[in-house]
Amino acid sequence: MTTLTQQEDVILRVENIHKSYGNVEVLKGVSFSVRKGETKVFIGPSGTGKSTLLRCINQLTIPDKGQIWLHGEEVTHSKKNINFFRQKMGMVFQNFYLFDHLTALRNVEIALIKVKGMKKDAARDKAMEELARVGMDSFAQHYPSQLSGGQAQRVSIARALAMDPDVMLFDEPTSALDPELIGEVLEVMKDLARGGMTMLVVTHEMGFACSVANEIMFMEEGTILESGSPEKLLNAPQYERTRQFLRKLTDLYGELGKVNG
Ligand code: ADP
Ligand code: MG
């Protein structure tokens, strides 16, 4: 019975994903599944395929092989318009990708109007609601150039949330931020996780991982080398490569689990 319930709860299933660029195999068969409300954190050395994996999930990059299922519906090789799935998987990038010539409010409402076909007033209300959710409603009329990196990132989170996604994908959302701005973005993400949002997060902010991740996946050279609860992965990693990588993180960020925790 437990197994059945668990399977029913699975919102996203990634099966045997492969991706090569030229002769270089960047993803070598990645599989995992995510249940509703779970937060999974991906860590691992640079160039190991973490961004490629997230991009394959929402089909910004088309995998060579393997399948992705959202709510039991296949995303890969689907006859549906890819925008259907993209709306259901909100993506947040390291560099925000806001439109510079649009206010924060317009950045959030534009997809509601153009993609979802919402009426202007309804889109505005919804966009304001999402800006409030990330603590940015009082900056609605500001342009990206008038925002700090942390504020801009919160607007880009609001923009993704506005589409009412089933899953949020974050690719190193705080890596481009000055240290003093990281906390405000992580707080928003923690609130989302605690509020039941399903999230996949590439980050080396281990304080965040320890406080909200159900599972940490250590990626290396295109595979998930090992995964487990934060406690298990950080305290008792199985592989020497994982231990080495965690040691590097400790050197960079201090004692793991205590950063921005
Ligand atoms: P990570 O996010 O873990 O740092 P990436 O997924 O960005 O790793 O990259 C994995 C590897 O794939 C790197 O060697 C990178 O240079 C290569 N790569 C990523 N995107 C492309 C692309 N569009 N064309 C060619 N090579 C790419
Ligand atoms: Mg990356």
Side-chain angles (χ1 to χ4, degrees):
M1 228 20 231
T2 318
T3 318
L4 187 64
T5 313
Q6 285 179 352
Q7 280 183 356
E8 281 173 352
D9 271 0
V10 166
I11 203 166
L12 180 73
R13 196 148 64 85
V14 171
E15 233 172 68
N16 197 28
I17 291 296
H18 288 255
K19 179 71 191 176
S20 297
Y21 290 109
N23 294 330
V24 185
E25 197 175 18
V26 173
L27 295 176
K28 301 175 182 169
V30 175
S31 304
F32 63 91
S33 57
V34 190
R35 280 185 274 158
K36 194 168 168 22
E38 279 188 322
T39 294
K40 302 222 189 231
V41 164
F42 291 81
I43 63 172
S46 172
T48 235
K50 303 179 299 296
S51 296
T52 305
L53 176 61
L54 288 197
R55 294 172 62 87
C56 281
I57 290 172
N58 76 354
Q59 305 282 286
L60 283 174
T61 295
I62 306 300
D64 300 327
K65 196 176 146 195
Q67 277 120 33
I68 291 154
W69 305 76
L70 185 71
H71 281 307
E73 205 173 345
E74 194 174 348
V75 177
T76 35
H77 321 295
S78 170
K79 290 198 178 66
K80 268 195 183 150
N81 186 332
I82 192 55
N83 284 330
F84 171 81
F85 291 108
R86 290 222 181 105
Q87 285 178 44
K88 300 202 166 290
M89 297 190 268
M91 181 101 172
V92 175
F93 302 91
Q94 186 174 321
N95 294 316
F96 333 135
Y97 294 122
L98 294 175
F99 293 115
D100 288 334
H101 64 292
L102 299 180
T103 61
L105 179 64
R106 287 288 290 155
N107 263 286
V108 179
E109 75 180 13
I110 193 157
L112 292 171
I113 296 167
K114 304 241 169 192
V115 181
K116 282 215 160 176
M118 273 174 91
K119 292 253 161 38
K120 218 169 176 305
D121 285 353
R124 179 144 301 198
D125 290 348
K126 171 77 171 157
M128 281 305 292
E129 203 178 287
E130 298 303 341
L131 284 172
R133 196 163 159 191
V134 300
M136 285 299 293
D137 43 335
S138 54
F139 292 86
Q141 298 307 332
H142 288 230
Y143 286 87
S145 63
Q146 300 169 312
L147 301 174
S148 72
Q151 291 169 337
Q153 191 57 298
R154 286 189 281 147
V155 172
S156 85
I157 293 172
R159 175 181 57 182
L161 290 173
M163 304 308 278
D164 292 327
D166 292 329
V167 180
M168 286 283 285
L169 312 174
F170 293 87
D171 192 2
E172 304 212 35
T174 61
S175 297
L177 302 177
D178 291 335
E180 72 272 21
L181 303 177
I182 291 174
E184 67 191 61
V185 173
L186 293 180
E187 280 311 312
V188 164
M189 292 169 61
K190 281 186 209 168
D191 283 350
L192 283 178
R194 290 180 183 135
M197 179 59 76
T198 310
M199 322 212 297
L200 301 188
V201 187
V202 176
T203 185
H204 293 119
E205 292 292 339
M206 300 313 286
F208 168 83
C210 287
S211 59
V212 296
N214 300 85
E215 192 172 36
I216 299 180
M217 325 274 234
F218 175 65
M219 275 191 77
E220 202 200 42
E221 294 183 4
T223 61
I224 297 173
L225 186 64
E226 66 176 304
S227 62
S229 66
E231 197 178 32
K232 177 168 167 273
L233 197 94
L234 299 183
N235 297 332
Q238 205 180 330
Y239 292 94
E240 180 52 29
R241 274 301 294 129
T242 316
R243 273 191 287 277
Q244 271 176 16
F245 182 74
L246 293 172
R247 269 199 298 276
K248 269 190 205 148
L249 284 187
T250 311
D251 290 347
L252 278 174
Y253 299 101
E255 199 58 28
L256 296 180
K258 294 187 180 150
V259 211
N260 297 302

